[in-house]
Amino acid sequence: MSWPPTIAGLLALALWQGAVWATGVPAYLVPGPIAIVQAFLAAPGFLLLSLASTLVVTFTALAVSTVLGVSLAIAITASRWARAAIEPWAVALQVTPIVAIAPLVIAWVGEPFAALVACATIVAFFPIFSSTAIGLASPPPELLDLFRLNGASRWATLRLLRLPAALPYFLAGLRISGGLALVGAVVAEFVAGAGGFASGLAYRILESGYRLQIPRMFAALVLLSLAGIAINAALSTLGRLLLRRRGEA
Amino acid sequence: MTLLSIESVARRFPNGTEALRGASLSIAQGDFVALLGPSGCGKSTLLRLIAGLDAPNAGALHWQGGPPGPGEIGFVFQDATLLPWATAEENVWLPLRLRGLSREAAEPAIHAALARVGLQGFEGARPRELSGGMRMRVSLARALVGRPRVLLMDEPFAALDEFTRHALQDDLLALWRDTGSTIVFVTHSIYEAAFLARRIVVMTPRPGRIATEIASSLPPAPATRFTPEYGALVAEITAVLRSAVA
């Protein structure tokens, strides 16, 4: 960790706590950092379990997005027909606000876990798909000519040229999709609301809001943002390691 | 023995550009032919037609013993175009690998090719760890490894600095002398064509066509660069090119 963001963060927290003390604003309006930490420590297992539930949805959605995104990217690279058939729908899915279609998805899918994963996948799918597609098309024409001259099959060209060339692009997309999968999972949990599988952090945020447990609500929010930061850091480390093994970056 | 005879081939691109008109050329086993001319004279187009990467709209190419199959053409591009994630050895393996040869089976050929271009000891190096000249040497080794019937080179040294370019020209000449490969070399440098080739085919643009051919009897050796005969050949080609373009 580097010092400037740490110092700036601590300073902001101190100012925040100071302001809460100075103005005497009640905790159900603006809780100070100390109240938030206390709310978390009062029932850490409770919030951490909810976090785990949200993370399961997030990572399942990320895995589904990877499989779906990479296979569809290969499909549109391999066939002009597939490109014409798939690309507009992928873009349409990308620009549709998830909040607007989440109620439909949840109603149609029925099974709560699958519904949450479906929503998060809709949000997370596109960066992996589009950046992998760009990566698959990235080899220079000379290299494609070289493969042709040596009688390479399409499969060999994919395996030995296009897929390895797409790896850095895929990793960049994966990093973006990681954050989006979390956002998608949370949005879906918000929409799914009460009952059934509603055990994720978003549900805790809603619930705490209803019960005016604002410090706990903030604690859940903080956990969510820490999880997002951790996912981003983990995926970028994974990317660096993979590329370093190939002698890149 | 004639390896390839090209009979009045023409190539017109869909956008209307007449890249090549009525080009005829005969290439013998062991020839070192330079295709020389300014941009747009169709020299790269002609090279791609020979490689089979493009087809002519008119005319034909007749190969002794049938058209080349997979891996029988060695091609060196202007950039080294190596796989950036693969080592020098893996890059040289590629043409053999695409023909189904395992790394163990290809090993002797890979080592011979890398040694041929002076890169023994760099087997495990990746492209980013190599200089521009060394990358081009790997590219040359990759073109040689499958023992192609003909080696096609498209301005391979144009992007290198002059010292590196001279070193690679000397080595290419030695390679040609020692192995008797057939080489067709595209260049826009009169000096390079005069130094390397036994036959200099002068081409002119709009439409691309073969203007004339000049034979060289200069000794294929580095010292040729400093002889008056070399200077005279450069002057002769320059004069021919000037009158052909005008």
Side-chain angles (χ1 to χ4, degrees), chain B residues 160-188:
Chain B
L160 302 174
D161 66 78
E162 192 159 7
F163 298 103
T164 312
R165 186 158 56 234
H166 280 192
L168 275 153
Q169 287 168 348
D170 291 349
D171 290 356
L172 180 66
L173 212 46
L175 183 140
W176 172 74
R177 223 175 36 216
D178 298 348
T179 61
S181 311
T182 309
I183 300 177
V184 182
F185 190 105
V186 162
T187 180
H188 56 235

mmCIF file of all heavy atoms in Angstrom, chain B residues 160-188:
data_model
loop_
_atom_site.group_PDB
_atom_site.id
_atom_site.type_symbol
_atom_site.label_atom_id
_atom_site.label_comp_id
_atom_site.label_asym_id
_atom_site.label_seq_id
_atom_site.Cartn_x
_atom_site.Cartn_y
_atom_site.Cartn_z
ATOM 1 N N LEU B 160 15.651 -1.443 -40.437
ATOM 2 C CA LEU B 160 16.812 -1.588 -39.546
ATOM 3 C C LEU B 160 17.780 -0.419 -39.720
ATOM 4 O O LEU B 160 17.804 0.235 -40.763
ATOM 5 C CB LEU B 160 17.535 -2.900 -39.842
ATOM 6 C CG LEU B 160 16.689 -4.167 -39.708
ATOM 7 C CD1 LEU B 160 17.479 -5.381 -40.156
ATOM 8 C CD2 LEU B 160 16.224 -4.332 -38.273
ATOM 9 N N ASP B 161 18.622 -0.182 -38.715
ATOM 10 C CA ASP B 161 19.635 0.858 -38.868
ATOM 11 C C ASP B 161 20.726 0.354 -39.819
ATOM 12 O O ASP B 161 20.826 -0.838 -40.109
ATOM 13 C CB ASP B 161 20.226 1.246 -37.508
ATOM 14 C CG ASP B 161 21.012 0.112 -36.901
ATOM 15 O OD1 ASP B 161 22.162 -0.111 -37.323
ATOM 16 O OD2 ASP B 161 20.466 -0.580 -36.014
ATOM 17 N N GLU B 162 21.548 1.276 -40.306
ATOM 18 C CA GLU B 162 22.444 0.939 -41.405
ATOM 19 C C GLU B 162 23.479 -0.127 -41.030
ATOM 20 O O GLU B 162 23.778 -1.019 -41.830
ATOM 21 C CB GLU B 162 23.142 2.199 -41.919
ATOM 22 C CG GLU B 162 23.842 1.948 -43.240
ATOM 23 C CD GLU B 162 24.105 3.238 -44.011
ATOM 24 O OE1 GLU B 162 23.857 4.315 -43.440
ATOM 25 O OE2 GLU B 162 24.572 3.139 -45.147
ATOM 26 N N PHE B 163 24.035 -0.062 -39.816
ATOM 27 C CA PHE B 163 25.053 -1.047 -39.409
ATOM 28 C C PHE B 163 24.442 -2.445 -39.395
ATOM 29 O O PHE B 163 24.996 -3.394 -39.933
ATOM 30 C CB PHE B 163 25.582 -0.711 -38.017
ATOM 31 C CG PHE B 163 26.247 0.624 -37.962
ATOM 32 C CD1 PHE B 163 25.594 1.715 -37.414
ATOM 33 C CD2 PHE B 163 27.535 0.805 -38.469
ATOM 34 C CE1 PHE B 163 26.190 2.953 -37.379
ATOM 35 C CE2 PHE B 163 28.142 2.042 -38.437
ATOM 36 C CZ PHE B 163 27.471 3.124 -37.881
ATOM 37 N N THR B 164 23.257 -2.532 -38.759
ATOM 38 C CA THR B 164 22.569 -3.816 -38.683
ATOM 39 C C THR B 164 22.204 -4.313 -40.071
ATOM 40 O O THR B 164 22.334 -5.497 -40.374
ATOM 41 C CB THR B 164 21.293 -3.654 -37.830
ATOM 42 O OG1 THR B 164 21.631 -2.954 -36.638
ATOM 43 C CG2 THR B 164 20.689 -4.985 -37.480
ATOM 44 N N ARG B 165 21.767 -3.376 -40.916
ATOM 45 C CA ARG B 165 21.360 -3.743 -42.265
ATOM 46 C C ARG B 165 22.540 -4.350 -43.026
ATOM 47 O O ARG B 165 22.419 -5.394 -43.653
ATOM 48 C CB ARG B 165 20.816 -2.524 -43.009
ATOM 49 C CG ARG B 165 20.243 -2.868 -44.373
ATOM 50 C CD ARG B 165 19.256 -1.822 -44.851
ATOM 51 N NE ARG B 165 19.848 -0.501 -44.870
ATOM 52 C CZ ARG B 165 19.328 0.559 -44.268
ATOM 53 N NH1 ARG B 165 18.215 0.440 -43.590
ATOM 54 N NH2 ARG B 165 19.919 1.720 -44.326
ATOM 55 N N HIS B 166 23.706 -3.692 -42.926
ATOM 56 C CA HIS B 166 24.884 -4.218 -43.608
ATOM 57 C C HIS B 166 25.244 -5.613 -43.110
ATOM 58 O O HIS B 166 25.539 -6.511 -43.905
ATOM 59 C CB HIS B 166 26.077 -3.268 -43.434
ATOM 60 C CG HIS B 166 26.025 -2.105 -44.364
ATOM 61 N ND1 HIS B 166 27.083 -1.254 -44.576
ATOM 62 C CD2 HIS B 166 25.026 -1.652 -45.151
ATOM 63 C CE1 HIS B 166 26.732 -0.333 -45.459
ATOM 64 N NE2 HIS B 166 25.490 -0.542 -45.801
ATOM 65 N N ALA B 167 25.199 -5.796 -41.798
ATOM 66 C CA ALA B 167 25.545 -7.102 -41.224
ATOM 67 C C ALA B 167 24.595 -8.178 -41.754
ATOM 68 O O ALA B 167 25.024 -9.279 -42.135
ATOM 69 C CB ALA B 167 25.486 -7.037 -39.710
ATOM 70 N N LEU B 168 23.294 -7.850 -41.788
ATOM 71 C CA LEU B 168 22.321 -8.841 -42.251
ATOM 72 C C LEU B 168 22.452 -9.107 -43.744
ATOM 73 O O LEU B 168 22.289 -10.235 -44.204
ATOM 74 C CB LEU B 168 20.905 -8.367 -41.895
ATOM 75 C CG LEU B 168 20.516 -8.764 -40.483
ATOM 76 C CD1 LEU B 168 19.508 -7.820 -39.881
ATOM 77 C CD2 LEU B 168 19.950 -10.185 -40.463
ATOM 78 N N GLN B 169 22.778 -8.053 -44.508
ATOM 79 C CA GLN B 169 22.994 -8.257 -45.951
ATOM 80 C C GLN B 169 24.184 -9.185 -46.186
ATOM 81 O O GLN B 169 24.106 -10.108 -47.006
ATOM 82 C CB GLN B 169 23.243 -6.908 -46.647
ATOM 83 C CG GLN B 169 21.988 -6.050 -46.776
ATOM 84 C CD GLN B 169 22.294 -4.624 -47.191
ATOM 85 O OE1 GLN B 169 23.453 -4.184 -47.183
ATOM 86 N NE2 GLN B 169 21.253 -3.886 -47.553
ATOM 87 N N ASP B 170 25.273 -8.943 -45.445
ATOM 88 C CA ASP B 170 26.456 -9.805 -45.582
ATOM 89 C C ASP B 170 26.102 -11.253 -45.266
ATOM 90 O O ASP B 170 26.484 -12.180 -45.985
ATOM 91 C CB ASP B 170 27.569 -9.338 -44.625
ATOM 92 C CG ASP B 170 28.148 -7.989 -45.040
ATOM 93 O OD1 ASP B 170 27.832 -7.541 -46.161
ATOM 94 O OD2 ASP B 170 28.896 -7.393 -44.246
ATOM 95 N N ASP B 171 25.345 -11.430 -44.174
ATOM 96 C CA ASP B 171 25.010 -12.789 -43.745
ATOM 97 C C ASP B 171 24.055 -13.471 -44.716
ATOM 98 O O ASP B 171 24.161 -14.670 -44.960
ATOM 99 C CB ASP B 171 24.400 -12.764 -42.338
ATOM 100 C CG ASP B 171 25.446 -12.408 -41.298
ATOM 101 O OD1 ASP B 171 26.632 -12.274 -41.685
ATOM 102 O OD2 ASP B 171 25.092 -12.263 -40.116
ATOM 103 N N LEU B 172 23.130 -12.690 -45.268
ATOM 104 C CA LEU B 172 22.189 -13.267 -46.229
ATOM 105 C C LEU B 172 22.943 -13.735 -47.478
ATOM 106 O O LEU B 172 22.682 -14.813 -48.019
ATOM 107 C CB LEU B 172 21.116 -12.242 -46.604
ATOM 108 C CG LEU B 172 20.068 -12.739 -47.618
ATOM 109 C CD1 LEU B 172 19.226 -13.859 -47.020
ATOM 110 C CD2 LEU B 172 19.167 -11.601 -48.080
ATOM 111 N N LEU B 173 23.890 -12.903 -47.894
ATOM 112 C CA LEU B 173 24.695 -13.252 -49.066
ATOM 113 C C LEU B 173 25.493 -14.537 -48.813
ATOM 114 O O LEU B 173 25.563 -15.426 -49.671
ATOM 115 C CB LEU B 173 25.643 -12.080 -49.379
ATOM 116 C CG LEU B 173 26.011 -11.829 -50.841
ATOM 117 C CD1 LEU B 173 24.774 -11.878 -51.729
ATOM 118 C CD2 LEU B 173 26.708 -10.487 -50.977
ATOM 119 N N ALA B 174 26.086 -14.632 -47.618
ATOM 120 C CA ALA B 174 26.851 -15.843 -47.264
ATOM 121 C C ALA B 174 25.935 -17.054 -47.239
ATOM 122 O O ALA B 174 26.292 -18.134 -47.721
ATOM 123 C CB ALA B 174 27.516 -15.643 -45.910
ATOM 124 N N LEU B 175 24.738 -16.852 -46.704
ATOM 125 C CA LEU B 175 23.768 -17.940 -46.625
ATOM 126 C C LEU B 175 23.398 -18.424 -48.028
ATOM 127 O O LEU B 175 23.352 -19.621 -48.309
ATOM 128 C CB LEU B 175 22.521 -17.421 -45.903
ATOM 129 C CG LEU B 175 21.390 -18.407 -45.639
ATOM 130 C CD1 LEU B 175 20.838 -18.142 -44.254
ATOM 131 C CD2 LEU B 175 20.267 -18.290 -46.651
ATOM 132 N N TRP B 176 23.165 -17.462 -48.920
ATOM 133 C CA TRP B 176 22.799 -17.826 -50.296
ATOM 134 C C TRP B 176 23.954 -18.583 -50.975
ATOM 135 O O TRP B 176 23.758 -19.590 -51.638
ATOM 136 C CB TRP B 176 22.464 -16.556 -51.077
ATOM 137 C CG TRP B 176 22.253 -16.797 -52.528
ATOM 138 C CD1 TRP B 176 21.165 -17.377 -53.098
ATOM 139 C CD2 TRP B 176 23.158 -16.505 -53.595
ATOM 140 N NE1 TRP B 176 21.327 -17.460 -54.459
ATOM 141 C CE2 TRP B 176 22.544 -16.927 -54.791
ATOM 142 C CE3 TRP B 176 24.420 -15.913 -53.648
ATOM 143 C CZ2 TRP B 176 23.155 -16.787 -56.027
ATOM 144 C CZ3 TRP B 176 25.026 -15.764 -54.873
ATOM 145 C CH2 TRP B 176 24.405 -16.204 -56.058
ATOM 146 N N ARG B 177 25.199 -18.070 -50.767
ATOM 147 C CA ARG B 177 26.381 -18.683 -51.362
ATOM 148 C C ARG B 177 26.551 -20.126 -50.860
ATOM 149 O O ARG B 177 26.843 -21.041 -51.623
ATOM 150 C CB ARG B 177 27.611 -17.864 -50.971
ATOM 151 C CG ARG B 177 28.599 -17.625 -52.082
ATOM 152 C CD ARG B 177 29.694 -16.711 -51.581
ATOM 153 N NE ARG B 177 30.024 -16.971 -50.181
ATOM 154 C CZ ARG B 177 30.358 -16.011 -49.316
ATOM 155 N NH1 ARG B 177 30.384 -14.753 -49.695
ATOM 156 N NH2 ARG B 177 30.652 -16.327 -48.073
ATOM 157 N N ASP B 178 26.331 -20.301 -49.544
ATOM 158 C CA ASP B 178 26.594 -21.609 -48.932
ATOM 159 C C ASP B 178 25.498 -22.631 -49.209
ATOM 160 O O ASP B 178 25.765 -23.823 -49.317
ATOM 161 C CB ASP B 178 26.745 -21.474 -47.413
ATOM 162 C CG ASP B 178 27.928 -20.590 -47.051
ATOM 163 O OD1 ASP B 178 28.727 -20.291 -47.962
ATOM 164 O OD2 ASP B 178 28.037 -20.201 -45.879
ATOM 165 N N THR B 179 24.242 -22.171 -49.267
ATOM 166 C CA THR B 179 23.148 -23.140 -49.325
ATOM 167 C C THR B 179 22.552 -23.280 -50.713
ATOM 168 O O THR B 179 21.808 -24.230 -50.973
ATOM 169 C CB THR B 179 21.999 -22.738 -48.380
ATOM 170 O OG1 THR B 179 21.513 -21.460 -48.802
ATOM 171 C CG2 THR B 179 22.461 -22.657 -46.944
ATOM 172 N N GLY B 180 22.849 -22.321 -51.592
ATOM 173 C CA GLY B 180 22.264 -22.390 -52.932
ATOM 174 C C GLY B 180 20.756 -22.197 -52.941
ATOM 175 O O GLY B 180 20.064 -22.677 -53.839
ATOM 176 N N SER B 181 20.203 -21.500 -51.921
ATOM 177 C CA SER B 181 18.762 -21.222 -51.890
ATOM 178 C C SER B 181 18.370 -20.337 -53.063
ATOM 179 O O SER B 181 19.198 -19.612 -53.615
ATOM 180 C CB SER B 181 18.387 -20.468 -50.607
ATOM 181 O OG SER B 181 18.919 -21.102 -49.485
ATOM 182 N N THR B 182 17.096 -20.425 -53.422
ATOM 183 C CA THR B 182 16.548 -19.499 -54.412
ATOM 184 C C THR B 182 15.890 -18.359 -53.646
ATOM 185 O O THR B 182 15.064 -18.604 -52.768
ATOM 186 C CB THR B 182 15.488 -20.219 -55.275
ATOM 187 O OG1 THR B 182 16.070 -21.438 -55.756
ATOM 188 C CG2 THR B 182 15.050 -19.339 -56.422
ATOM 189 N N ILE B 183 16.294 -17.117 -53.955
ATOM 190 C CA ILE B 183 15.789 -15.981 -53.185
ATOM 191 C C ILE B 183 15.187 -14.936 -54.122
ATOM 192 O O ILE B 183 15.783 -14.573 -55.138
ATOM 193 C CB ILE B 183 16.920 -15.332 -52.351
ATOM 194 C CG1 ILE B 183 17.519 -16.359 -51.372
ATOM 195 C CG2 ILE B 183 16.407 -14.108 -51.596
ATOM 196 C CD1 ILE B 183 18.682 -15.827 -50.550
ATOM 197 N N VAL B 184 13.970 -14.494 -53.772
ATOM 198 C CA VAL B 184 13.386 -13.336 -54.448
ATOM 199 C C VAL B 184 13.225 -12.255 -53.392
ATOM 200 O O VAL B 184 12.573 -12.462 -52.364
ATOM 201 C CB VAL B 184 12.015 -13.662 -55.088
ATOM 202 C CG1 VAL B 184 11.477 -12.438 -55.822
ATOM 203 C CG2 VAL B 184 12.142 -14.845 -56.037
ATOM 204 N N PHE B 185 13.872 -11.109 -53.641
ATOM 205 C CA PHE B 185 14.061 -10.103 -52.614
ATOM 206 C C PHE B 185 13.472 -8.787 -53.100
ATOM 207 O O PHE B 185 13.941 -8.213 -54.087
ATOM 208 C CB PHE B 185 15.575 -9.970 -52.381
ATOM 209 C CG PHE B 185 15.970 -9.160 -51.188
ATOM 210 C CD1 PHE B 185 16.442 -9.772 -50.039
ATOM 211 C CD2 PHE B 185 15.917 -7.764 -51.216
ATOM 212 C CE1 PHE B 185 16.840 -9.025 -48.936
ATOM 213 C CE2 PHE B 185 16.312 -7.020 -50.112
ATOM 214 C CZ PHE B 185 16.776 -7.649 -48.974
ATOM 215 N N VAL B 186 12.419 -8.299 -52.429
ATOM 216 C CA VAL B 186 11.816 -7.021 -52.811
ATOM 217 C C VAL B 186 12.512 -5.893 -52.065
ATOM 218 O O VAL B 186 12.736 -5.989 -50.854
ATOM 219 C CB VAL B 186 10.303 -7.019 -52.487
ATOM 220 C CG1 VAL B 186 9.754 -5.603 -52.466
ATOM 221 C CG2 VAL B 186 9.545 -7.871 -53.479
ATOM 222 N N THR B 187 12.886 -4.844 -52.777
ATOM 223 C CA THR B 187 13.521 -3.710 -52.105
ATOM 224 C C THR B 187 13.252 -2.436 -52.895
ATOM 225 O O THR B 187 12.961 -2.474 -54.087
ATOM 226 C CB THR B 187 15.040 -3.926 -51.948
ATOM 227 O OG1 THR B 187 15.601 -2.787 -51.297
ATOM 228 C CG2 THR B 187 15.723 -4.132 -53.294
ATOM 229 N N HIS B 188 13.324 -1.285 -52.201
ATOM 230 C CA HIS B 188 13.285 -0.017 -52.936
ATOM 231 C C HIS B 188 14.661 0.650 -52.865
ATOM 232 O O HIS B 188 14.807 1.802 -53.224
ATOM 233 C CB HIS B 188 12.186 0.901 -52.404
ATOM 234 C CG HIS B 188 12.296 1.187 -50.942
ATOM 235 N ND1 HIS B 188 11.277 0.956 -50.054
ATOM 236 C CD2 HIS B 188 13.306 1.663 -50.206
ATOM 237 C CE1 HIS B 188 11.664 1.284 -48.848
ATOM 238 N NE2 HIS B 188 12.893 1.713 -48.910
#
